[in-house]
Amino acid sequence: NAGVTQTPKFRVLKTGQSMTLLCAQDMNHEYMYWYRQDPGMGLRLIHYSVGEGTTAKGEVPDGYNVSRLKKQNFLLGLESAAPSQTSVYFCASSYGLGNYGYTFGSGTRLTVV
Amino acid sequence: DAKTTQPPSMDCAEGRAANLPCNHSTISGNEYVYWYRQIHSQGPQYIIHGLKNNETNEMASLIITEDRKSSTLILPHATLRDTAVYYCIVRVEETDSWGKLQFGAGTQVVVTP
């Protein structure tokens, strides 16, 4: 009963470096989402996916790319990290539209120096 | 923009019921109301959701007005561990929304001894 697992939990990057955040879910959910949360603010949607091989932009997609090659995994990439991308990143998943809840991961705290 | 309005903060005495209001005056007939909470910087935790009828689970009760323009989350016996930011979210059900949750600023609830 792992639910949604995010790796890594913490990371410090230098400006210009790249990295990939991994989100894995074991609930056979179709829909997956990446959010970011800045201090004192609510979560904002970066990208999302409604199934294997499909992705779409959310509210704040600039500077990020995503891939969903396998149904259970949703990857968030930063090609050239910037200090403005310092944030806590949360992944979530759901069965889809209708009467379903959402499960969130515990987050990845990223600092770009 | 978030489709909900919540008070920024509220206090509650331990052992008493906590009633958290939420206004969603522009809600459409097929849009669900979700409640999540976030303790410190942990991942958002699902509490409850509903469409028209009142709902109850082991954590809380959700009361939705008949016109669906507002709702109230009730924590029946607040404990210190209920101190958190509580988010009321209306999930957009448009065909291209793909179940995205739009977070607002939430209500900071502080439970005091």
Side-chain angles (χ1 to χ4, degrees), chain B residues 72-86:
Chain B
T72 300
L73 177 73
I74 301 173
L75 306 177
H77 304 288
T79 71
L80 299 179
R81 288 176 293 180
D82 291 324
T83 292
V85 177
Y86 287 76

Side-chain angles (χ1 to χ4, degrees), chain B residues 1-20:
Chain B
D1 293 335
K3 299 180 66 174
T4 62
T5 303
Q6 300 176 252
S9 64
M10 63 181 294
D11 295 334
C12 178
E14 188 178 20
R16 305 293 293 270
N19 297 293
L20 283 65

Side-chain angles (χ1 to χ4, degrees), chain B:
Chain B
D1 293 335
K3 299 180 66 174
T4 62
T5 303
Q6 300 176 252
S9 64
M10 63 181 294
D11 295 334
C12 178
E14 188 178 20
R16 305 293 293 270
N19 297 293
L20 283 65
C22 180
N23 288 325
H24 30 79
S25 58
T26 61
I27 194 170
S28 299
N30 61 345
E31 293 178 336
Y32 285 82
V33 178
Y34 286 80
W35 281 86
Y36 279 80
R37 73 180 183 183
Q38 191 174 25
I39 300 172
H40 298 301
S41 294
Q42 298 176 18
Q45 178 188 20
Y46 170 80
I47 302 173
I48 200 166
H49 75 282
L51 182 62
K52 297 179 182 178
N53 300 320
N54 298 337
E55 303 286 346
T56 296
N57 62 23
E58 64 277 6
M59 288 184 67
S61 295
L62 174 61
I63 309 299
I64 302 175
T65 58
E66 190 170 347
D67 63 6
R68 303 212 323 123
K69 293 184 183 301
S70 66
S71 61
T72 300
L73 177 73
I74 301 173
L75 306 177
H77 304 288
T79 71
L80 299 179
R81 288 176 293 180
D82 291 324
T83 292
V85 177
Y86 287 76
Y87 295 99
C88 169
I89 303 163
V90 170
R91 190 185 71 187
V92 177
E93 293 291 321
E94 297 169 356
T95 54
D96 62 348
S97 72
W98 304 114
K100 294 179 285 185
L101 296 177
Q102 203 158 26
F103 285 78
T107 296
Q108 172 67 63
V109 173
V110 176
V111 180
T112 56

Side-chain angles (χ1 to χ4, degrees), chain A residues 17-81:
Chain A
Q17 286 185 319
S18 64
M19 78 163 295
T20 299
L21 282 67
L22 171 64
C23 177
Q25 52 93 4
D26 60 1
M27 298 169 285
N28 201 34
H29 284 172
E30 287 289 339
Y31 290 17
M32 297 186 74
Y33 308 84
W34 274 108
Y35 290 86
R36 63 175 287 175
Q37 185 175 34
D38 299 322
M41 299 181 64
L43 280 70
R44 292 184 293 168
L45 182 64
I46 305 172
H47 285 281
Y48 60 99
S49 168
V50 299
E52 184 177 320
T54 70
T55 63
K57 295 180 180 179
E59 184 185 359
V60 288
D62 294 342
Y64 305 95
N65 57 73
V66 288
S67 64
R68 183 103 181 265
L69 299 180
K70 293 183 178 181
K71 186 177 182 179
Q72 63 268 35
N73 296 334
F74 194 28
L75 281 69
L76 178 70
L78 287 74
E79 291 186 345
S80 179

